[in-house]
Amino acid sequence: MKAIIVGGGVGGLTTALMLTARGIDCEVYEQASEIRELGVGINTLPHAIKELAGLGLLPRLDDVAIRTHELIYTNRFGQEIWREPRGLEAGFDVPQFSIHRGRLQTVIYQAVRARLGESRIFTGHRLGAFKQDESGVTAWFFDREGRHVRTATGDVLIGADGIHSLVRRSLFPTEGPPAWNGIMLWRGAVDWPDFLTGRSMVIAGGMSAKLVIYPIAEGLAPGRKLTNWAIAAKIGENNATPPRREDWSRPGRFEDIMPYLKRFTLPYVDAQRMIEATPEFWEYPMCDRDPLPRWSHGRVTLLGDAAHPMYPVGSNGASQAILDARCLADLLVSAEHPAQALWAYEQERLPMTAQIVRMNRKGGPEGVIDAVEERAPDGFSDIDTVLSFEERKAIVRGYASTAGFSQDKVNRRAA
């Protein structure tokens, strides 16, 4: 069997590793001219890290990431709403990692190069068209100038080419652009002194604006970390027309974020000074797509953000792509026919990821701070009188269970 993987991001590269580990031949096609360290900080949850550990990547992740110690939700004044240990401190068999997305991609990419070989990775190859029949799939790839550069054949084609997926557009040509909820994200990272444990993640605010801060790598000196920050604020209406695609990661401006940043007062980190010290940062519209009725069409399927793009709350985007890859590889190696494997993969993964997309639209686990801000916008003296412990627990832990990273589910899942 041979798989054609369209997209060289976290999902596509992890799929290549998973397939190779099971003896399935594959090729990776990426439209960018090179695979570079792009993006900002993300959290990769234990259920996904368990899969990467099974591929032997844990030591390399430890070299470039931070093992997340705790997660704290607060209001905009820094008053604590919820605190919980994460990763190993929470009793998981594997850690949670706070990491730069580009460095996570690089760790996986280096493993793909070592295990597949350079000859199986094609950069500067943009998918133009594909067709399938009873014998397999054929895909045609073109360079940036529109010249045909390669024709690939295989048994299956896996679209792991992101929220603007060409494979998805071919399968659902009338879908239209991603949906924007009117929230803009500004994201950056800067070398900064440790706060709290040095491995803490803080999410503050509520519906009006949120501030997220956590370290993603060791800093330039002891007691310092490369610290990721993000501000999310509502600047447009729900279902607004999203910015043009070329504006999805443009440089941010301090004058745009300062009105929102000044709302926050955290006792353990001077967020305004930290953000003002950041040499450059970027803005991104918070977009997703409606869940699809199906992913798999014969020998063609979708994976990761191409299948289920979701709002970046709950630390689940990259993690769910990694879980997709494990599931699909297991089914391809055991099925009697490739189309049967793709159908079974869709049956297992689509309902769960569709539910996560819908939950993230309501705030996901961050709904706990939304609820508190709605009830006590000017702060509180006793959190339990605003939102009881059981209500807070239901929001945060209920999300973890649905998304598949509750401790009992992760620890009993075979690596």
Side-chain angles (χ1 to χ4, degrees):
M1 185 184 294
K2 176 186 170 186
I4 302 168
I5 301 171
V6 182
V10 170
L13 293 172
T14 303
T15 303
L17 283 185
M18 291 287 186
L19 293 176
T20 301
R22 289 154 181 78
I24 298 176
D25 187 22
C26 61
E27 294 175 344
V28 179
Y29 292 86
E30 166 58 43
Q31 67 176 347
S33 58
E34 60 180 325
I35 296 178
R36 296 182 294 146
E37 289 192 352
L38 300 175
V40 287
I42 60 171
N43 269 264
T44 314
L45 300 172
H47 56 351
I49 294 301
K50 190 157 192 171
E51 304 300 347
L52 297 182
L55 293 168
L57 301 184
L58 196 58
R60 285 290 296 121
L61 292 172
D62 263 323
D63 289 341
V64 299
I66 297 294
R67 293 189 173 207
T68 316
H69 177 86
E70 63 180 353
L71 169 63
I72 304 168
Y73 290 117
T74 79
N75 63 8
R76 65 189 181 94
F77 306 105
Q79 293 179 295
E80 188 173 304
I81 294 169
W82 182 266
R83 180 191 295 246
E84 66 179 20
R86 303 293 275 191
L88 296 176
E89 281 75 16
F92 287 91
D93 293 340
V94 291
Q96 173 176 326
F97 279 113
S98 298
I99 187 171
H100 189 287
R101 176 182 283 276
R103 292 181 182 177
L104 171 63
Q105 183 174 350
T106 295
V107 167
I108 302 170
Y109 176 49
Q110 289 172 344
V112 172
R113 291 173 61 193
R115 299 174 196 182
L116 270 72
E118 294 279 1
S119 65
R120 315 303 280 171
I121 306 168
F122 299 88
T123 56
H125 282 59
R126 178 185 175 88
L127 179 68
F130 60 86
K131 72 172 184 178
Q132 59 177 308
D133 54 33
E134 292 182 1
S135 63
V137 182
T138 302
W140 291 269
F141 293 91
F142 299 80
D143 64 15
R144 188 169 290 181
E145 282 71 45
R147 295 183 295 254
H148 175 252
V149 289
R150 187 173 180 84
T151 301
T153 58
D155 296 286
V156 296
L157 185 145
I158 302 165
D161 47 343
I163 191 171
H164 299 292
S165 169
L166 291 169
V167 179
R168 180 170 175 145
R169 190 188 311 165
S170 297
L171 299 175
F172 297 92
T174 63
E175 183 182 26
W180 183 36
N181 63 359
I183 294 177
M184 187 64 73
L185 284 167
W186 293 272
R187 307 174 75 171
V190 64
D191 187 78
W192 200 252
D194 288 346
F195 66 93
L196 296 175
T197 66
R199 297 187 291 128
S200 300
M201 178 179 183
V202 176
I203 302 178
M207 293 176 293
S208 300
K210 289 187 174 75
L211 171 66
V212 184
I213 302 175
Y214 55 90
I216 56 175
E218 292 299 328
L220 299 177
R224 300 178 71 89
K225 297 285 192 302
L226 178 62
T227 303
N228 183 84
W229 59 264
I231 293 176
K234 187 88 167 175
I235 66 169
E237 299 300 320
N238 286 332
N239 300 313
T241 301
R244 294 175 302 171
R245 181 175 174 180
E246 57 267 29
D247 292 334
W248 273 45
S249 55
R250 66 183 180 184
R253 304 185 306 173
F254 287 106
E255 55 264 38
D256 292 335
I257 64 173
M258 279 306 161
Y260 307 106
L261 179 58
K262 288 179 178 179
R263 291 173 48 85
F264 295 94
T265 304
L266 300 183
Y268 29 75
V269 59
D270 188 333
Q272 182 165 331
R273 274 190 61 221
M274 181 181 69
I275 292 173
E276 288 176 340
T278 305
E280 58 181 354
F281 60 96
W282 297 268
E283 65 175 36
Y284 308 81
M286 187 181 285
C287 291
D288 70 357
R289 292 184 182 273
D290 289 336
L292 291 171
R294 57 188 294 206
W295 296 346
S296 301
H297 298 244
R299 294 175 176 268
V300 179
T301 196
L302 302 171
L303 183 145
D305 281 351
H308 45 73
M310 56 187 65
Y311 295 159
V313 299
S315 307
N316 248 299
S319 295
Q320 292 299 323
I322 292 167
L323 297 183
D324 289 347
R326 167 65 188 267
C327 176
L328 180 55
D330 283 349
L331 290 166
L332 280 171
V333 80
S334 61
E336 294 182 4
H337 190 278
Q340 177 190 7
L342 300 194
W343 179 85
Y345 156 72
E346 172 190 301
Q347 296 302 302
E348 181 171 340
R349 295 293 301 151
L350 191 154
M352 174 185 287
T353 54
Q355 179 65 7
I356 297 171
V357 169
R358 288 188 284 264
M359 292 177 72
N360 282 9
R361 288 177 172 178
K362 298 177 181 178
E366 296 171 20
V368 73
I369 56 176
D370 294 339
V372 170
E373 182 175 82
E374 184 177 23
R375 299 184 187 188
D378 298 320
F380 51 82
S381 56
D382 181 359
I383 182 59
D384 289 318
T385 64
V386 178
L387 197 66
S388 72
F389 175 81
E390 290 302 322
E391 290 175 299
R392 303 195 311 273
K393 179 180 177 181
I395 296 172
V396 177
R397 297 286 168 79
Y399 180 85
S401 179
T402 299
F405 65 94
S406 61
Q407 181 188 328
D408 60 331
K409 288 183 179 180
V410 174
N411 288 353
R412 72 168 178 257
R413 184 186 292 122

